[in-house]
Amino acid sequence: MTVAMIAARHEQWAEWIFFPYVRRLLRGHFHALRLLGEIPELDPTRPLILVPNHGTWWDGFFVYILNRLLLRRKLFLMMLDEQLSRYRFFSRVGAFGIRPGLPRSVAETLRYSAAVLREPGNALCLFPQGVLRYHALRPLGYQRGLERILRLCGTKVQLMPLGIRCELLQDQRPEAFFLADRCHTMDAAGFAGIPWLENEAQGLLERLEAGIRNREPGRILLEGKTPLDERWGGR
């Protein structure tokens, strides 16, 4: 018997709980969250696909907080069904499941993703690498699900790669850096293919690395709490 895909069930009460929780969690674990560069102006009449690299356990939380602070769209985030089954609450803030290796289940999730994109105010986030993969590894290893989603969707979308890096710099806690400086409007016919997208993402990660190396201040989206030792030391 095929088990039904876990769909997103956006609940306002869940947002009231989850947003303060995530903000507090990130402030406790990171010195700062910084956006380098500027996010391109987005068309509110077209849906958005976010395609981040996937190098850390925190990436889903990062996308969630970036959407709440900057994009302000109804977010749908694809995650492994195995994890979502353990943390069902995430479905109430936009997560939905995928079971890699089960063709019928994958097809169901891709159809669901395409349906999400038929609503112009929605944002769909998927991690094309499918697994955690260190940001410096090449090739990035993007899978081909996005091509199928675009064919099933049948409409023009905005496609925005997102670069994510975490670095230990001036504090005992890491800083998270984000860059999303290009957005492409396209449909399935205009999509240049996964190799093109990988090349775009690699260029994005190189620009992000240069910005971090050059100590670009960017914009602080969230500042971490002062560590306890610093608070005590200041007395």
Side-chain angles (χ1 to χ4, degrees):
M1 183 178 68
T2 302
V3 179
M5 182 201 79
I6 302 175
R9 299 167 50 199
H10 291 86
E11 305 270 8
Q12 187 59 56
W13 65 265
E15 286 285 345
W16 292 338
I17 295 170
F18 196 61
F19 178 54
Y21 166 76
V22 172
R23 187 170 50 187
R24 185 168 58 251
L25 188 69
L26 292 172
R27 290 190 66 216
H29 284 82
F30 290 87
H31 177 65
L33 272 61
R34 294 180 185 269
L35 175 70
L36 302 188
E38 293 295 330
I39 288 179
E41 185 174 351
L42 300 175
D43 184 348
T45 69
R46 296 199 183 280
L48 175 67
I49 304 178
L50 283 169
V51 281
N53 62 294
H54 194 19
T56 79
W57 177 87
W58 293 95
D59 293 337
F61 293 106
F62 290 150
V63 171
Y64 173 83
I65 207 74
L66 285 169
N67 183 64
R68 282 297 303 260
L69 296 178
L70 297 175
L71 304 175
R72 300 183 178 91
R73 297 213 170 201
K74 189 174 183 179
L75 178 65
F76 293 77
L77 188 145
M78 185 188 296
M79 66 182 291
L80 292 175
D81 188 88
E82 179 184 359
Q83 296 178 5
L84 188 53
S85 295
R86 294 174 59 195
Y87 304 104
R88 285 271 185 156
F89 179 86
F90 290 167
S91 68
R92 290 173 166 83
V93 290
F96 63 98
I98 185 168
R99 295 187 187 93
L102 298 177
R104 291 179 63 182
S105 178
V106 170
E108 180 186 12
T109 298
L110 298 183
R111 288 193 299 270
Y112 181 86
S113 301
V116 164
L117 294 172
R118 296 190 187 108
E119 294 294 329
N122 289 349
L124 170 68
C125 175
L126 54 91
F127 297 97
Q129 291 166 297
V131 294
L132 285 172
R133 190 173 173 87
Y134 181 58
H135 65 82
L137 290 178
R138 299 293 183 270
L140 292 172
Y142 279 13
Q143 301 176 26
R144 310 195 76 87
L146 178 59
E147 291 179 328
R148 294 173 63 186
I149 292 171
L150 289 173
R151 288 198 300 269
L152 290 165
C153 175
T155 188
K156 283 192 174 182
V157 302
Q158 298 172 102
L159 179 65
M160 188 164 70
L162 170 64
I164 301 174
R165 285 276 300 264
C166 293
E167 297 288 343
L168 278 167
L169 297 175
Q170 59 185 358
D171 190 82
Q172 64 192 29
R173 296 162 300 170
E175 293 187 50
F177 295 87
F178 312 107
L179 181 64
D181 57 358
R182 297 177 186 177
C183 187
H184 312 272
T185 300
M186 65 183 66
D187 56 14
F191 181 55
I194 294 299
W196 166 82
L197 182 59
E198 275 206 32
N199 188 61
E200 284 287 305
Q202 288 173 186
L204 175 70
L205 290 171
E206 288 168 6
R207 295 194 299 278
L208 179 57
E209 180 181 8
I212 297 169
R213 186 172 60 246
N214 295 332
R215 297 298 179 99
E216 293 180 16
R219 181 177 11 151
I220 295 180
L221 302 176
L222 200 65
E223 199 159 12
K225 296 176 183 176
T226 303
L228 189 60
D229 59 345
E230 288 186 22
R231 280 181 273 165
W232 287 357
R235 289 188 174 183

